[in-house]
Amino acid sequence: MFSEKLQKLRKERGVSQEELSEILNVSRQSISKYENGTSEPNFEKLLILSKYFNVSLDELLDNTIFQNSEQGLVVKNIQSNKILIESKIDGKVSSFYKFINSSVFGKKEHHPEMMLLGVDGHSFWGDNAVALAWYATKNDYEKELQAIMEAMSEGEAAYHLKYYVNVKKKGIFDLEIIR
């Protein structure tokens, strides 16, 4: 698990939570939350940790195995019930075990039709839904969800969203697809 791996690497290096928090430019409490599994760093912080401890992201996340195959080295997720995804809305990275959707009400031609949310279960109160991306059509959303499910069933450690659209604010409460 990432939390255990981070704590192990930090202690092996002889670095305090306070010192590591200064390196990542976060609070000491954030490091504590990373290590007790109630929070995870964003992708930028994961890259800093990877470089600082001189380990790959896969090794840092500690949820993969490596297999040689005819196609070369294949990374497989040991925790096949979760997959790492970066949100296209806020850039945060987390491991998700289920997905839900939200329809956009009052659909206009410039609105996205659907939003994908991932559930990571990292909140103190239980499940935590994270907005991952907007989709122009329900069909695009369904293609994305199918691709995520296939990646999870194949044991992939991470998935990069493919079918989403970028949006911008239009007025106070409205969104518009960037074309």
mmCIF file of all heavy atoms in Angstrom, residues 30-73:
data_model
loop_
_atom_site.group_PDB
_atom_site.id
_atom_site.type_symbol
_atom_site.label_atom_id
_atom_site.label_comp_id
_atom_site.label_asym_id
_atom_site.label_seq_id
_atom_site.Cartn_x
_atom_site.Cartn_y
_atom_site.Cartn_z
ATOM 1 N N SER A 30 -0.462 16.767 6.402
ATOM 2 C CA SER A 30 -0.692 16.102 5.108
ATOM 3 C C SER A 30 0.153 14.846 4.996
ATOM 4 O O SER A 30 -0.328 13.805 4.538
ATOM 5 C CB SER A 30 -0.361 17.044 3.947
ATOM 6 O OG SER A 30 -1.291 18.090 3.891
ATOM 7 N N ILE A 31 1.413 14.925 5.429
ATOM 8 C CA ILE A 31 2.286 13.746 5.404
ATOM 9 C C ILE A 31 1.705 12.659 6.302
ATOM 10 O O ILE A 31 1.658 11.485 5.931
ATOM 11 C CB ILE A 31 3.729 14.098 5.839
ATOM 12 C CG1 ILE A 31 4.328 15.182 4.930
ATOM 13 C CG2 ILE A 31 4.597 12.850 5.882
ATOM 14 C CD1 ILE A 31 4.436 14.816 3.473
ATOM 15 N N SER A 32 1.238 13.051 7.475
ATOM 16 C CA SER A 32 0.611 12.096 8.390
ATOM 17 C C SER A 32 -0.597 11.423 7.732
ATOM 18 O O SER A 32 -0.777 10.201 7.832
ATOM 19 C CB SER A 32 0.195 12.804 9.682
ATOM 20 O OG SER A 32 -0.469 11.906 10.543
ATOM 21 N N LYS A 33 -1.415 12.203 7.042
ATOM 22 C CA LYS A 33 -2.589 11.646 6.358
ATOM 23 C C LYS A 33 -2.176 10.712 5.229
ATOM 24 O O LYS A 33 -2.805 9.678 5.005
ATOM 25 C CB LYS A 33 -3.482 12.765 5.817
ATOM 26 C CG LYS A 33 -4.236 13.508 6.901
ATOM 27 C CD LYS A 33 -5.074 14.623 6.300
ATOM 28 C CE LYS A 33 -5.824 15.379 7.376
ATOM 29 N NZ LYS A 33 -6.636 16.466 6.823
ATOM 30 N N TYR A 34 -1.104 11.062 4.494
ATOM 31 C CA TYR A 34 -0.608 10.176 3.441
ATOM 32 C C TYR A 34 -0.194 8.840 4.063
ATOM 33 O O TYR A 34 -0.456 7.780 3.506
ATOM 34 C CB TYR A 34 0.608 10.766 2.723
ATOM 35 C CG TYR A 34 0.400 12.069 1.983
ATOM 36 C CD1 TYR A 34 1.494 12.833 1.611
ATOM 37 C CD2 TYR A 34 -0.866 12.549 1.652
ATOM 38 C CE1 TYR A 34 1.342 14.027 0.927
ATOM 39 C CE2 TYR A 34 -1.024 13.747 0.970
ATOM 40 C CZ TYR A 34 0.087 14.477 0.614
ATOM 41 O OH TYR A 34 -0.060 15.660 -0.062
ATOM 42 N N GLU A 35 0.481 8.910 5.211
ATOM 43 C CA GLU A 35 1.012 7.702 5.833
ATOM 44 C C GLU A 35 -0.048 6.865 6.550
ATOM 45 O O GLU A 35 0.141 5.674 6.732
ATOM 46 C CB GLU A 35 2.152 8.057 6.792
ATOM 47 C CG GLU A 35 3.394 8.515 6.058
ATOM 48 C CD GLU A 35 4.582 8.761 6.979
ATOM 49 O OE1 GLU A 35 4.457 8.611 8.212
ATOM 50 O OE2 GLU A 35 5.656 9.104 6.441
ATOM 51 N N ASN A 36 -1.148 7.474 6.968
ATOM 52 C CA ASN A 36 -2.187 6.659 7.603
ATOM 53 C C ASN A 36 -3.294 6.293 6.621
ATOM 54 O O ASN A 36 -4.271 5.644 7.001
ATOM 55 C CB ASN A 36 -2.735 7.298 8.883
ATOM 56 C CG ASN A 36 -3.553 8.549 8.643
ATOM 57 O OD1 ASN A 36 -4.169 8.716 7.608
ATOM 58 N ND2 ASN A 36 -3.558 9.434 9.632
ATOM 59 N N GLY A 37 -3.143 6.683 5.350
ATOM 60 C CA GLY A 37 -4.050 6.252 4.300
ATOM 61 C C GLY A 37 -5.348 7.021 4.192
ATOM 62 O O GLY A 37 -6.247 6.605 3.471
ATOM 63 N N THR A 38 -5.471 8.160 4.875
ATOM 64 C CA THR A 38 -6.719 8.932 4.787
ATOM 65 C C THR A 38 -6.674 9.975 3.671
ATOM 66 O O THR A 38 -7.684 10.603 3.382
ATOM 67 C CB THR A 38 -7.047 9.631 6.120
ATOM 68 O OG1 THR A 38 -5.960 10.478 6.486
ATOM 69 C CG2 THR A 38 -7.304 8.615 7.218
ATOM 70 N N SER A 39 -5.503 10.150 3.041
ATOM 71 C CA SER A 39 -5.364 11.113 1.955
ATOM 72 C C SER A 39 -4.240 10.633 1.046
ATOM 73 O O SER A 39 -3.371 9.873 1.477
ATOM 74 C CB SER A 39 -5.049 12.493 2.527
ATOM 75 O OG SER A 39 -4.881 13.436 1.509
ATOM 76 N N GLU A 40 -4.261 11.079 -0.203
ATOM 77 C CA GLU A 40 -3.192 10.759 -1.139
ATOM 78 C C GLU A 40 -2.732 12.045 -1.816
ATOM 79 O O GLU A 40 -3.538 12.935 -2.069
ATOM 80 C CB GLU A 40 -3.670 9.763 -2.194
ATOM 81 C CG GLU A 40 -3.902 8.383 -1.629
ATOM 82 C CD GLU A 40 -4.293 7.375 -2.697
ATOM 83 O OE1 GLU A 40 -4.580 7.762 -3.836
ATOM 84 O OE2 GLU A 40 -4.306 6.186 -2.366
ATOM 85 N N PRO A 41 -1.443 12.126 -2.131
ATOM 86 C CA PRO A 41 -0.934 13.328 -2.797
ATOM 87 C C PRO A 41 -1.391 13.391 -4.247
ATOM 88 O O PRO A 41 -1.756 12.373 -4.841
ATOM 89 C CB PRO A 41 0.583 13.145 -2.709
ATOM 90 C CG PRO A 41 0.792 11.674 -2.595
ATOM 91 C CD PRO A 41 -0.400 11.143 -1.858
ATOM 92 N N ASN A 42 -1.352 14.606 -4.817
ATOM 93 C CA ASN A 42 -1.673 14.739 -6.237
ATOM 94 C C ASN A 42 -0.494 14.226 -7.065
ATOM 95 O O ASN A 42 0.553 13.863 -6.535
ATOM 96 C CB ASN A 42 -2.055 16.181 -6.588
ATOM 97 C CG ASN A 42 -0.914 17.158 -6.401
ATOM 98 O OD1 ASN A 42 0.264 16.816 -6.462
ATOM 99 N ND2 ASN A 42 -1.250 18.407 -6.174
ATOM 100 N N PHE A 43 -0.682 14.191 -8.381
ATOM 101 C CA PHE A 43 0.321 13.619 -9.270
ATOM 102 C C PHE A 43 1.663 14.350 -9.164
ATOM 103 O O PHE A 43 2.717 13.729 -9.153
ATOM 104 C CB PHE A 43 -0.189 13.641 -10.715
ATOM 105 C CG PHE A 43 0.650 12.840 -11.655
ATOM 106 C CD1 PHE A 43 0.696 11.456 -11.563
ATOM 107 C CD2 PHE A 43 1.399 13.457 -12.631
ATOM 108 C CE1 PHE A 43 1.478 10.707 -12.419
ATOM 109 C CE2 PHE A 43 2.180 12.719 -13.495
ATOM 110 C CZ PHE A 43 2.222 11.336 -13.397
ATOM 111 N N GLU A 44 1.628 15.668 -9.062
ATOM 112 C CA GLU A 44 2.853 16.460 -8.944
ATOM 113 C C GLU A 44 3.660 16.039 -7.713
ATOM 114 O O GLU A 44 4.876 15.860 -7.774
ATOM 115 C CB GLU A 44 2.496 17.941 -8.861
ATOM 116 C CG GLU A 44 3.677 18.853 -8.604
ATOM 117 C CD GLU A 44 3.250 20.285 -8.320
ATOM 118 O OE1 GLU A 44 2.123 20.677 -8.677
ATOM 119 O OE2 GLU A 44 4.065 21.009 -7.727
ATOM 120 N N LYS A 45 2.972 15.856 -6.587
ATOM 121 C CA LYS A 45 3.650 15.450 -5.341
ATOM 122 C C LYS A 45 4.179 14.022 -5.457
ATOM 123 O O LYS A 45 5.258 13.705 -4.941
ATOM 124 C CB LYS A 45 2.702 15.557 -4.141
ATOM 125 C CG LYS A 45 2.088 16.934 -3.928
ATOM 126 C CD LYS A 45 3.085 18.005 -3.637
ATOM 127 C CE LYS A 45 2.377 19.313 -3.324
ATOM 128 N NZ LYS A 45 3.178 20.478 -3.549
ATOM 129 N N LEU A 46 3.429 13.145 -6.155
ATOM 130 C CA LEU A 46 3.914 11.772 -6.369
ATOM 131 C C LEU A 46 5.221 11.779 -7.161
ATOM 132 O O LEU A 46 6.146 11.023 -6.859
ATOM 133 C CB LEU A 46 2.865 10.940 -7.102
ATOM 134 C CG LEU A 46 1.659 10.492 -6.296
ATOM 135 C CD1 LEU A 46 0.626 9.849 -7.210
ATOM 136 C CD2 LEU A 46 2.055 9.531 -5.182
ATOM 137 N N LEU A 47 5.292 12.652 -8.178
ATOM 138 C CA LEU A 47 6.527 12.748 -8.965
ATOM 139 C C LEU A 47 7.699 13.236 -8.115
ATOM 140 O O LEU A 47 8.815 12.720 -8.222
ATOM 141 C CB LEU A 47 6.324 13.687 -10.158
ATOM 142 C CG LEU A 47 5.457 13.149 -11.288
ATOM 143 C CD1 LEU A 47 5.219 14.229 -12.337
ATOM 144 C CD2 LEU A 47 6.088 11.928 -11.923
ATOM 145 N N ILE A 48 7.446 14.220 -7.253
ATOM 146 C CA ILE A 48 8.496 14.726 -6.365
ATOM 147 C C ILE A 48 8.972 13.607 -5.426
ATOM 148 O O ILE A 48 10.177 13.402 -5.246
ATOM 149 C CB ILE A 48 8.003 15.947 -5.558
ATOM 150 C CG1 ILE A 48 7.749 17.134 -6.502
ATOM 151 C CG2 ILE A 48 9.003 16.331 -4.470
ATOM 152 C CD1 ILE A 48 7.015 18.301 -5.857
ATOM 153 N N LEU A 49 8.019 12.871 -4.854
ATOM 154 C CA LEU A 49 8.377 11.761 -3.962
ATOM 155 C C LEU A 49 9.177 10.698 -4.704
ATOM 156 O O LEU A 49 10.168 10.173 -4.181
ATOM 157 C CB LEU A 49 7.116 11.133 -3.356
ATOM 158 C CG LEU A 49 6.407 11.941 -2.288
ATOM 159 C CD1 LEU A 49 5.026 11.341 -1.990
ATOM 160 C CD2 LEU A 49 7.247 12.014 -1.013
ATOM 161 N N SER A 50 8.755 10.381 -5.919
ATOM 162 C CA SER A 50 9.447 9.383 -6.722
ATOM 163 C C SER A 50 10.907 9.781 -6.957
ATOM 164 O O SER A 50 11.821 8.971 -6.802
ATOM 165 C CB SER A 50 8.714 9.218 -8.054
ATOM 166 O OG SER A 50 9.426 8.396 -8.926
ATOM 167 N N LYS A 51 11.117 11.045 -7.311
ATOM 168 C CA LYS A 51 12.482 11.532 -7.552
ATOM 169 C C LYS A 51 13.282 11.610 -6.251
ATOM 170 O O LYS A 51 14.452 11.222 -6.201
ATOM 171 C CB LYS A 51 12.442 12.902 -8.233
ATOM 172 C CG LYS A 51 11.974 12.822 -9.669
ATOM 173 C CD LYS A 51 11.860 14.188 -10.304
ATOM 174 C CE LYS A 51 11.293 14.055 -11.710
ATOM 175 N NZ LYS A 51 11.039 15.338 -12.327
ATOM 176 N N TYR A 52 12.642 12.091 -5.188
ATOM 177 C CA TYR A 52 13.336 12.251 -3.910
ATOM 178 C C TYR A 52 13.819 10.909 -3.362
ATOM 179 O O TYR A 52 14.948 10.787 -2.897
ATOM 180 C CB TYR A 52 12.427 12.943 -2.893
ATOM 181 C CG TYR A 52 13.084 13.121 -1.536
ATOM 182 C CD1 TYR A 52 14.061 14.089 -1.349
ATOM 183 C CD2 TYR A 52 12.735 12.301 -0.470
ATOM 184 C CE1 TYR A 52 14.682 14.244 -0.124
ATOM 185 C CE2 TYR A 52 13.352 12.451 0.761
ATOM 186 C CZ TYR A 52 14.319 13.419 0.929
ATOM 187 O OH TYR A 52 14.938 13.563 2.155
ATOM 188 N N PHE A 53 12.963 9.887 -3.424
ATOM 189 C CA PHE A 53 13.335 8.572 -2.900
ATOM 190 C C PHE A 53 14.001 7.689 -3.948
ATOM 191 O O PHE A 53 14.368 6.558 -3.666
ATOM 192 C CB PHE A 53 12.102 7.857 -2.330
ATOM 193 C CG PHE A 53 11.591 8.489 -1.057
ATOM 194 C CD1 PHE A 53 10.320 9.041 -1.008
ATOM 195 C CD2 PHE A 53 12.378 8.532 0.085
ATOM 196 C CE1 PHE A 53 9.840 9.625 0.162
ATOM 197 C CE2 PHE A 53 11.908 9.109 1.265
ATOM 198 C CZ PHE A 53 10.636 9.651 1.296
ATOM 199 N N ASN A 54 14.145 8.219 -5.180
ATOM 200 C CA ASN A 54 14.793 7.504 -6.269
ATOM 201 C C ASN A 54 14.132 6.153 -6.540
ATOM 202 O O ASN A 54 14.797 5.115 -6.618
ATOM 203 C CB ASN A 54 16.296 7.343 -6.005
ATOM 204 C CG ASN A 54 17.055 6.944 -7.254
ATOM 205 O OD1 ASN A 54 16.652 7.272 -8.362
ATOM 206 N ND2 ASN A 54 18.146 6.225 -7.080
ATOM 207 N N VAL A 55 12.798 6.171 -6.640
ATOM 208 C CA VAL A 55 12.020 4.970 -6.970
ATOM 209 C C VAL A 55 11.035 5.322 -8.086
ATOM 210 O O VAL A 55 10.679 6.481 -8.259
ATOM 211 C CB VAL A 55 11.239 4.416 -5.748
ATOM 212 C CG1 VAL A 55 12.190 3.946 -4.656
ATOM 213 C CG2 VAL A 55 10.261 5.432 -5.190
ATOM 214 N N SER A 56 10.598 4.315 -8.824
ATOM 215 C CA SER A 56 9.601 4.551 -9.862
ATOM 216 C C SER A 56 8.247 4.834 -9.218
ATOM 217 O O SER A 56 8.029 4.517 -8.046
ATOM 218 C CB SER A 56 9.482 3.329 -10.778
ATOM 219 O OG SER A 56 8.891 2.261 -10.063
ATOM 220 N N LEU A 57 7.343 5.415 -9.994
ATOM 221 C CA LEU A 57 5.990 5.648 -9.489
ATOM 222 C C LEU A 57 5.324 4.326 -9.125
ATOM 223 O O LEU A 57 4.637 4.237 -8.111
ATOM 224 C CB LEU A 57 5.134 6.387 -10.517
ATOM 225 C CG LEU A 57 5.381 7.881 -10.635
ATOM 226 C CD1 LEU A 57 4.580 8.461 -11.787
ATOM 227 C CD2 LEU A 57 5.049 8.596 -9.346
ATOM 228 N N ASP A 58 5.528 3.291 -9.932
ATOM 229 C CA ASP A 58 4.936 1.988 -9.635
ATOM 230 C C ASP A 58 5.452 1.437 -8.308
ATOM 231 O O ASP A 58 4.696 0.917 -7.505
ATOM 232 C CB ASP A 58 5.227 0.991 -10.748
ATOM 233 C CG ASP A 58 4.474 1.314 -12.020
ATOM 234 O OD1 ASP A 58 3.341 1.821 -11.905
ATOM 235 O OD2 ASP A 58 4.993 1.056 -13.101
ATOM 236 N N GLU A 59 6.754 1.567 -8.102
ATOM 237 C CA GLU A 59 7.334 1.083 -6.845
ATOM 238 C C GLU A 59 6.831 1.918 -5.674
ATOM 239 O O GLU A 59 6.524 1.394 -4.608
ATOM 240 C CB GLU A 59 8.861 1.142 -6.926
ATOM 241 C CG GLU A 59 9.559 0.478 -5.760
ATOM 242 C CD GLU A 59 11.065 0.505 -5.902
ATOM 243 O OE1 GLU A 59 11.572 0.825 -6.999
ATOM 244 O OE2 GLU A 59 11.751 0.209 -4.903
ATOM 245 N N LEU A 60 6.717 3.221 -5.865
ATOM 246 C CA LEU A 60 6.224 4.110 -4.816
ATOM 247 C C LEU A 60 4.781 3.771 -4.449
ATOM 248 O O LEU A 60 4.413 3.716 -3.280
ATOM 249 C CB LEU A 60 6.317 5.571 -5.264
ATOM 250 C CG LEU A 60 5.797 6.621 -4.295
ATOM 251 C CD1 LEU A 60 6.620 6.610 -3.003
ATOM 252 C CD2 LEU A 60 5.849 7.999 -4.932
ATOM 253 N N LEU A 61 3.958 3.534 -5.464
ATOM 254 C CA LEU A 61 2.555 3.213 -5.209
ATOM 255 C C LEU A 61 2.399 1.801 -4.646
ATOM 256 O O LEU A 61 1.376 1.470 -4.069
ATOM 257 C CB LEU A 61 1.732 3.393 -6.478
ATOM 258 C CG LEU A 61 1.670 4.832 -6.969
ATOM 259 C CD1 LEU A 61 0.998 4.914 -8.319
ATOM 260 C CD2 LEU A 61 0.963 5.721 -5.961
ATOM 261 N N ASP A 62 3.425 0.973 -4.826
ATOM 262 C CA ASP A 62 3.495 -0.354 -4.201
ATOM 263 C C ASP A 62 2.242 -1.188 -4.437
ATOM 264 O O ASP A 62 1.777 -1.879 -3.556
ATOM 265 C CB ASP A 62 3.759 -0.221 -2.702
ATOM 266 C CG ASP A 62 4.285 -1.526 -2.108
ATOM 267 O OD1 ASP A 62 4.977 -2.267 -2.828
ATOM 268 O OD2 ASP A 62 3.992 -1.800 -0.931
ATOM 269 N N ASN A 63 1.703 -1.121 -5.630
ATOM 270 C CA ASN A 63 0.525 -1.938 -5.913
ATOM 271 C C ASN A 63 0.650 -2.666 -7.241
ATOM 272 O O ASN A 63 -0.332 -2.974 -7.878
ATOM 273 C CB ASN A 63 -0.743 -1.087 -5.915
ATOM 274 C CG ASN A 63 -0.741 -0.033 -7.002
ATOM 275 O OD1 ASN A 63 0.268 0.236 -7.609
ATOM 276 N ND2 ASN A 63 -1.878 0.573 -7.242
ATOM 277 N N THR A 64 1.887 -2.907 -7.663
ATOM 278 C CA THR A 64 2.056 -3.524 -8.962
ATOM 279 C C THR A 64 3.009 -4.712 -8.918
ATOM 280 O O THR A 64 3.838 -4.833 -8.021
ATOM 281 C CB THR A 64 2.625 -2.499 -9.967
ATOM 282 O OG1 THR A 64 3.845 -1.994 -9.447
ATOM 283 C CG2 THR A 64 1.674 -1.367 -10.203
ATOM 284 N N ILE A 65 2.838 -5.558 -9.879
ATOM 285 C CA ILE A 65 3.807 -6.613 -10.126
ATOM 286 C C ILE A 65 4.248 -6.459 -11.573
ATOM 287 O O ILE A 65 3.545 -5.864 -12.386
ATOM 288 C CB ILE A 65 3.222 -8.021 -9.872
ATOM 289 C CG1 ILE A 65 1.954 -8.246 -10.704
ATOM 290 C CG2 ILE A 65 2.955 -8.238 -8.408
ATOM 291 C CD1 ILE A 65 1.394 -9.647 -10.595
ATOM 292 N N PHE A 66 5.393 -6.985 -11.902
ATOM 293 C CA PHE A 66 5.913 -6.863 -13.248
ATOM 294 C C PHE A 66 6.017 -8.250 -13.861
ATOM 295 O O PHE A 66 6.484 -9.185 -13.219
ATOM 296 C CB PHE A 66 7.286 -6.182 -13.224
ATOM 297 C CG PHE A 66 7.225 -4.807 -12.636
ATOM 298 C CD1 PHE A 66 7.415 -4.597 -11.290
ATOM 299 C CD2 PHE A 66 6.950 -3.723 -13.448
ATOM 300 C CE1 PHE A 66 7.339 -3.322 -10.747
ATOM 301 C CE2 PHE A 66 6.871 -2.447 -12.914
ATOM 302 C CZ PHE A 66 7.073 -2.254 -11.565
ATOM 303 N N GLN A 67 5.563 -8.375 -15.100
ATOM 304 C CA GLN A 67 5.613 -9.649 -15.795
ATOM 305 C C GLN A 67 6.250 -9.421 -17.149
ATOM 306 O O GLN A 67 5.929 -8.459 -17.842
ATOM 307 C CB GLN A 67 4.211 -10.217 -16.005
ATOM 308 C CG GLN A 67 3.467 -10.515 -14.733
ATOM 309 C CD GLN A 67 2.030 -10.936 -15.027
ATOM 310 O OE1 GLN A 67 1.451 -10.577 -16.030
ATOM 311 N NE2 GLN A 67 1.485 -11.716 -14.111
ATOM 312 N N ASN A 68 7.136 -10.330 -17.528
ATOM 313 C CA ASN A 68 7.676 -10.286 -18.879
ATOM 314 C C ASN A 68 6.738 -11.055 -19.789
ATOM 315 O O ASN A 68 6.241 -12.112 -19.427
ATOM 316 C CB ASN A 68 9.077 -10.900 -18.924
ATOM 317 C CG ASN A 68 10.119 -9.953 -18.394
ATOM 318 O OD1 ASN A 68 10.097 -8.774 -18.746
ATOM 319 N ND2 ASN A 68 11.016 -10.433 -17.565
ATOM 320 N N SER A 69 6.467 -10.491 -20.937
ATOM 321 C CA SER A 69 5.617 -11.161 -21.912
ATOM 322 C C SER A 69 6.217 -10.931 -23.286
ATOM 323 O O SER A 69 7.235 -10.255 -23.428
ATOM 324 C CB SER A 69 4.196 -10.610 -21.850
ATOM 325 O OG SER A 69 4.152 -9.317 -22.406
ATOM 326 N N GLU A 70 5.566 -11.470 -24.292
ATOM 327 C CA GLU A 70 6.039 -11.278 -25.665
ATOM 328 C C GLU A 70 6.036 -9.806 -26.051
ATOM 329 O O GLU A 70 6.819 -9.372 -26.878
ATOM 330 C CB GLU A 70 5.164 -12.086 -26.628
ATOM 331 C CG GLU A 70 5.282 -13.578 -26.411
ATOM 332 C CD GLU A 70 4.219 -14.367 -27.159
ATOM 333 O OE1 GLU A 70 3.404 -13.754 -27.871
ATOM 334 O OE2 GLU A 70 4.227 -15.589 -27.009
ATOM 335 N N GLN A 71 5.144 -9.027 -25.459
ATOM 336 C CA GLN A 71 5.066 -7.596 -25.769
ATOM 337 C C GLN A 71 6.053 -6.774 -24.943
ATOM 338 O O GLN A 71 6.100 -5.570 -25.064
ATOM 339 C CB GLN A 71 3.653 -7.062 -25.507
ATOM 340 C CG GLN A 71 2.581 -7.636 -26.390
ATOM 341 C CD GLN A 71 2.052 -8.961 -25.881
ATOM 342 O OE1 GLN A 71 2.149 -9.259 -24.704
ATOM 343 N NE2 GLN A 71 1.515 -9.764 -26.769
ATOM 344 N N GLY A 72 6.817 -7.386 -24.063
ATOM 345 C CA GLY A 72 7.751 -6.673 -23.196
ATOM 346 C C GLY A 72 7.267 -6.686 -21.762
ATOM 347 O O GLY A 72 6.493 -7.548 -21.362
ATOM 348 N N LEU A 73 7.708 -5.736 -20.982
ATOM 349 C CA LEU A 73 7.348 -5.666 -19.572
ATOM 350 C C LEU A 73 5.926 -5.166 -19.414
ATOM 351 O O LEU A 73 5.547 -4.148 -19.981
ATOM 352 C CB LEU A 73 8.314 -4.722 -18.839
ATOM 353 C CG LEU A 73 8.335 -4.778 -17.335
ATOM 354 C CD1 LEU A 73 8.775 -6.160 -16.854
ATOM 355 C CD2 LEU A 73 9.273 -3.733 -16.799
#
